[in-house]
Amino acid sequence: MASRERDFPRAKKSLGQNFLASPAVAERIAAALRPVPGELVFEIGPGRGALTAPLAASGARLVAFEIDAPLAERLREDYAAEANVEIVRADIRGVDIDAEARARGGTAFKLAGNIPYQLTSSILIDLARWRLVTAAALMVQREVGERVLAPPGRRACGILSIFIQSYFIIERAMTVRPGSFTPPPKVMSVVLRFTPAAQALAPSDRLDFLAFLKGCFAQRRKKLRNVASEAF
């Protein structure tokens, strides 16, 4: 069922809340994720439930993590009769979604969400650390999305680009205008679809690889072999 629009708390700037308000956009995000009945899907930051509605309607087992207590309570009320929907009040920065999947008997999951802009990098890094994810559809600020998609050799290519591209095939699913949100942000957004596909030489220890990349970009003028010798 779709969440009711009335009586929702106002957006909190401290949480970076810009609520998705377009059902058409929500449907397209859900379509990019391609959830099927019975499979485990996690949603990051459901807010007022725009994306929650089509995800729940797919028949997937949906678990949505919402940090805002009044919003979480409101969503629990809206979906109280839906056996396939679970609303959890939690800060996603402290959630190990692999562990959450295992706790529910899952061996795989899909991930969706309209990510607060200030959390984008940390969530994308966690995405590469979660090993049970089979697909993700995440909305991010367009500038960040362009960096994530930037191929090697382009100026926009950086730590996040190389790290994420080492473990995923990334596709731009759609561009979303500010008018699709309430309140409207000052920037455009994009929805990215992630499919796990580690590159042949991608290190298996992902955190060590991330630390190595940070070392490389912190010492851009050094030769790579010198940075590598210091790291290992």
Side-chain angles (χ1 to χ4, degrees), residues 52-68:
T52 310
L55 292 175
S58 73
R61 291 190 296 148
L62 178 63
V63 182
F65 295 103
E66 174 56 56
I67 189 174
D68 189 307

Side-chain angles (χ1 to χ4, degrees), residues 152-169:
R154 296 288 180 88
R155 187 176 184 84
C157 183
I159 296 171
L160 193 60
S161 319
I162 296 171
F163 183 63
I164 300 299
Q165 289 178 27
S166 295
Y167 303 103
F168 291 91
I169 295 171

